[in-house]
Every structure is written in structure tokens, then in C-alpha cells.
Amino acid sequence: MSTNTPAGTAARPLRIAVVGSGPAGVYAADILTKSEAVKSGELTVSIDLFDRYPAPYGLIRYGVAPDHPRIKGIVNALHKVLDRGDIRFFGNVDYGTDLSLEDLRTHYDAVIFATGAIKDADLNIPGIELEGSYGGADFVSWYDGHPDVPREWPLDAKEVAVIGNGNVALDVARMLSKHADDLLVSEIPDNVYRALKDSPVTDVHVFGRRGPAQVKFTPLELRELSHSKDVDIILYAEDFEFDAESDRQIQSNNQTKTMVGTLTNWIAEQPEDLAELTASRRLHLHFLHSPVEVYGDNTGEAGAPGRVAGIKFERTELDGTGNARGTGEFVDYPVQAVYRAIGYFGSSLPEVEFDHSKGVVPNDGGRVLDASGTHVPGIYATGWIKRGPVGLIGHTKGDALETVTYLLEDRDNLPLAAAPAPDAVVDLLESRGVQYTSWEGWLALDAHERSLGEKASAAADGVQRERIKVVPREAMVQISRDGVAAEV
């Protein structure tokens, strides 16, 4: 088709590629299809959604603990969007390897990057690189059956430190302390269940730098801790400090008030003699602790520190503004593993400018910028790769709306694709031997995972498993493609 054929008209639809099929990407695609310009008939759009993983949903599938039932509602919403049939899904397609930016520009009038953030933010303290020190995001990827991580995880520590006071930190701590049999009702992969079943853990410590009023997790995450069977929650009176800013937050923010109320109720109900607690595992919540050093057991070569043996903190105090400052008092905790869960960090994209200090693609409201700060025509970003790994799912939807609004404003000035025919990108992938998966393939994989859960439920006594994740990438691709071939 000629490059001067107007895009978005009756002659041909506006061709848009979205890279990333997590909530950010799916929301952007959905908002485009429901925009006023499309609903009025003024504009037609054709959207292809690409993902490096064989299955859709991004961090909803690979970044959220499997025992979170509320996530099913989000998955169901995303499923409804992709199941309509007006958005094509191409899984197992890696941008930068299988498709270049030039390829996308050749076949699409606009590209939206929605690649999110999957890596752990760095914690630059001595000893963080020791054996037994892990990234929380890496652990999440493992227990969620991420196709690109090893199947094994070293769960040999009895005492564990988790650094961070956000939802990921609580997820990591809960998964480490929860008894594996209580996870069988979730979609936990079999290899993860077996490893957690054999874990010798007795104590998991969660550390936050500021006070109880400054935590970043949500009330729901906090309450879920108390649902774990045979796990005692332990708090410490010396960690409960509130300054003027804390009082203001408690009075003005219902979420903060709820969380502080929950924590203070727990410590009030806690026996003075902790020996009265009888659970086989304990989850300790510490506040006003700033990590200083992870130290080893000196078992490495030539006397070098070998494995994690403990972690040192400086006690902190609130400064009146809700921030914390050091007190000069230090305390050590003997642990054999450390998990840092202080946030995610974005990864750079080939041929796209990247801010390595913030972990985002430089942009102005979603319009991607080049090194000089000029908008690159036809290139956009949304989600965490746009704004950084902050905010909840609701923020992602509003974020996508902003990006899509700017794209639609720019539509008359977009660089027209040279080969916009829908089959052209399919031919390109096939010519390169890319084993891409489709939405129909995902439906086949989804049915297969559910059937595994049904078989496991039938074999077990009283355990109902909804699904069991297929983990190896090759198996996911094979099941997806075979399922489509069988239907044909």
C-alpha cells in the first residue's frame, strides 16, 4: 500500500503497535479503540500488541504473589479487552531481537512502549553482593513461574531479612513465611511448591527506614499477613514513633489511619512474653531501621566473606517532617539470607533514548523524547517505563489515557508506515522463524493450565487447585501453537 495513503481513514486504518501486554499496554490499546474519534467513525485503528513472553498480562502474571485473589479481577478485565478480537496479540516476540524499531516504523504509523519495569532497584551498601543476598523482584519472578528465570531457588536460610516497606516487601515476606500447603489453592507452579515445602525458615524480618505512618504498603497487603496459618506476627514497641507529620497523615489520610490502627492493635494484643507465642514460624515487622552493611561468614576463598551471616542497621528517628535521620545507634541481626525489595527499575530499550538515573524513557506526557529533548514523531510510552515504578493499577489507566490523547492529537502528522498491511508483519516474523504465539494460543495454554489444576485436585484429598502454571518457555510456546494448529 502506498505510503501516502492517509492513515486512519476509510482507505486504511491507523496502524499502531503496542510493545508490552501488561495492564499499561492493554489499557492503552483499549482506550484507543474506545476513543471519541473511533466511536464517531472519524478514525479507524488497527492495533497489534507485542510481548516478549508467550502469555499476556505482564506483571499481573509474573509480578504479583499467587495468593492474591483480587488480582483475578484485573486479569478478567484484561481478558475481556483482548478477547473482543479487535486487538491482535503477538507473544514470544522480543523487541530488539525479533523486531527492531525500523521494523515497527515500517509496519506501523505509531509505536507505544509499555514495557514496564522488572529489575530490582539497587541497594548500594557493603556486602549486598554476598551469596545469600537476593533481589525481591527476582524472587517474585521465580515464585510466579517467570519463563526466563531458573527453576530452582536456594531456600536454605532459617532467618531471613527483607528490606523494604512496600507491597513487594510484604509479598516476599509472606511467601517466605507462609506454609507451602496453604498455597496449593493458588496457581503456584509445582517446582515452587516443592521448594517452599522444604524451606527450613523460622523467622522472617521486614525492615523499614521510617515509622509505621510512612509505610508504602496498602491496608489489604497488611491484613493478608494475619491470614497465614501457624505464623506469628511480632512487632516492637521501640519502633512505634510518630512525629508531627505522622499525626497529620493519620488525621488526613484514611489509608494511613487504617494501617497505623491495625499495627497498634496488633502490638497491643501481643503478649508481653514472646515465649507465649506458639507458631512454628514468625514474621517480624521492624521500623526505624536503615541498612548499613550485609556481612558474611568468612567462608570464601582466602578468608573473603562467603555467605550472608547477618545484617547491620542504624536505628533512625523521625525528624518532624515524616523523614528519618540516623541516631548513631547500630544493631545487628543474624540472618542467612537478605532480600532487597526497595522498588523496581526500568530497563533500556534498543534504539530509544533512556534515562539511566531514573530508569525511564524520557518523555513529555508520553511523547518519547530524543537526546536533545525533542519529541520523536510516532513514538510514545506509557506505564512504568514512562513514569517510573510508582502507583497502582488505577494510575496506569489514567497514564495510558494521557499518552493516547497526545497520540491522537498527533495523528495527522505521524510518519506513515511504508508497509501497513496487517499480514506484512506476520510474514516478516515467519520469514525470521519467530515462534510467535497468538490470543487463540493463549486460550489454549490457559485451558491447559486449568486442566493441570483439575488433575492435581482430583489426585489430592480436599485440595482444589484452579490452575498450575506451565513454566518453561518452550513448553508454553509449544502448547500455544499446537492448540491453534489443532483448531485449524
Side-chain angles (χ1 to χ4, degrees):
M1 190 173 290
S2 171
T3 57
N4 56 16
T5 302
T9 66
R12 77 164 176 87
L14 183 70
R15 290 278 287 148
I16 300 167
V18 180
V19 182
S21 68
V26 176
Y27 287 151
D30 187 41
I31 290 169
L32 273 165
T33 63
K34 295 177 179 177
S35 64
E36 189 58 40
V38 171
K39 288 194 296 183
S40 67
E42 175 189 348
L43 176 72
T44 58
V45 294
S46 172
I47 303 171
D48 288 343
L49 196 64
F50 294 92
D51 204 292
R52 64 178 299 191
Y53 308 128
Y57 308 143
L59 277 185
I60 292 298
R61 179 173 167 93
Y62 294 121
V64 178
D67 59 345
H68 274 330
R70 76 182 189 280
I71 297 304
K72 292 180 182 178
I74 300 172
V75 169
N76 290 340
L78 300 181
H79 178 99
K80 288 179 181 178
V81 173
L82 295 179
D83 202 43
R84 294 195 310 248
D86 56 348
I87 300 167
R88 291 196 303 183
F89 172 71
F90 291 88
N92 201 42
V93 178
D94 187 20
Y95 168 74
T97 302
D98 300 319
L99 288 176
S100 67
L101 185 60
E102 181 181 356
D103 294 329
L104 293 177
R105 282 189 170 282
T106 298
H107 298 290
Y108 301 93
D109 307 301
V111 180
I112 301 175
F113 287 102
T115 51
I118 60 172
K119 292 184 177 179
D120 283 284
D122 290 333
L123 178 62
N124 295 315
I125 60 174
I128 198 65
E129 75 289 344
L130 287 172
E131 184 182 352
S133 174
Y134 311 106
D138 291 336
F139 183 58
V140 172
S141 293
W142 172 75
Y143 67 58
D144 269 332
H146 194 293
D148 295 337
V149 303
R151 302 282 72 82
E152 306 301 323
W153 189 273
L155 291 169
D156 50 8
K158 290 187 176 181
E159 299 161 299
V160 179
V162 179
I163 304 172
N165 256 184
N167 285 342
V168 173
L170 289 196
D171 278 352
V172 168
R174 193 181 65 258
M175 289 294 290
L176 285 167
S177 60
K178 198 169 187 175
H179 291 277
D181 285 350
D182 294 330
L183 291 165
L184 282 176
V185 294
S186 72
E187 59 182 28
I188 184 173
D190 280 340
N191 66 296
V192 176
Y193 166 73
R194 290 192 300 269
L196 291 173
K197 178 78 170 177
D198 294 335
S199 171
V201 68
T202 58
D203 292 83
V204 177
H205 299 261
V206 182
F207 296 94
R209 187 174 57 86
R210 296 188 292 172
Q214 286 78 42
V215 295
K216 295 298 184 181
F217 43 76
T218 59
L220 181 58
E221 292 279 350
L222 182 60
R223 287 195 297 269
E224 283 184 349
L225 293 183
S226 64
H227 297 161
S228 295
K229 300 174 184 176
D230 191 33
V231 180
D232 282 326
I233 298 174
I234 299 177
L235 299 105
Y236 299 86
E238 62 268 26
D239 292 344
F240 280 72
E241 178 183 310
F242 302 95
D243 61 359
E245 177 60 19
S246 300
D247 292 337
R248 188 196 68 79
Q249 291 174 340
I250 293 169
Q251 295 302 318
S252 62
N253 187 300
N254 286 333
Q255 178 167 297
T256 301
K257 179 185 292 186
T258 298
M259 287 189 293
V260 170
T262 298
L263 290 167
T264 52
N265 285 340
W266 284 356
I267 195 169
E269 296 167 358
Q270 185 173 288
E272 291 187 17
D273 184 0
L274 296 182
E276 295 179 20
L277 298 174
T278 59
S280 65
R281 292 179 176 178
R282 292 161 293 280
L283 180 56
H284 308 254
L285 300 181
H286 304 269
F287 306 104
L288 303 174
H289 283 69
S290 180
V292 173
E293 177 188 6
V294 179
Y295 54 88
D297 57 8
N298 296 315
T299 59
E301 293 183 7
R307 289 189 52 83
V308 168
I311 183 168
K312 181 188 293 291
F313 291 90
E314 181 178 14
R315 292 304 309 262
T316 62
E317 62 184 6
L318 299 178
D319 65 1
T321 68
N323 291 313
R325 61 192 173 204
T327 64
E329 176 189 351
F330 296 89
V331 58
D332 286 17
Y333 292 86
V335 296
Q336 300 82 52
V338 172
Y339 290 77
R340 67 185 187 279
I342 57 173
Y344 284 84
F345 201 79
S347 301
S348 60
L349 299 166
E351 302 178 82
V352 179
E353 190 66 25
F354 192 72
D355 185 334
H356 290 275
S357 65
K358 297 179 180 178
V360 299
V361 169
N363 68 92
D364 180 11
R367 291 177 169 128
V368 171
L369 307 176
D370 62 18
S372 67
T374 302
H375 175 219
V376 182
I379 307 298
Y380 301 84
T382 190
W384 279 4
I385 200 64
K386 167 188 174 183
R387 70 177 190 275
V390 293
L392 303 175
I393 297 296
H395 297 98
T396 301
K397 187 173 291 187
D399 191 50
L401 177 60
E402 178 186 53
T403 295
V404 168
T405 299
Y406 281 128
L407 187 158
L408 292 175
E409 286 182 7
D410 299 339
R411 67 181 183 271
D412 292 335
N413 299 308
L414 295 173
L416 296 180
D423 289 342
V425 71
V426 176
D427 293 340
L428 178 64
L429 291 172
E430 291 182 346
S431 71
R432 293 177 177 173
V434 178
Q435 297 289 297
Y436 65 87
T437 60
S438 63
W439 177 248
E440 292 74 23
W442 159 246
L443 295 179
L445 177 59
D446 180 51
H448 181 81
E449 292 184 344
R450 292 179 184 277
S451 71
L452 292 179
E454 291 174 0
K455 291 176 183 176
S457 298
D461 183 18
V463 176
Q464 183 66 40
R465 301 195 68 178
E466 181 178 345
R467 74 159 71 231
I468 298 175
K469 280 184 180 177
V470 171
V471 178
R473 177 184 288 267
E474 296 78 9
M476 295 172 66
V477 172
Q478 192 68 47
I479 293 166
S480 299
R481 292 176 67 87
D482 285 353
V484 173
E487 289 186 8
V488 174

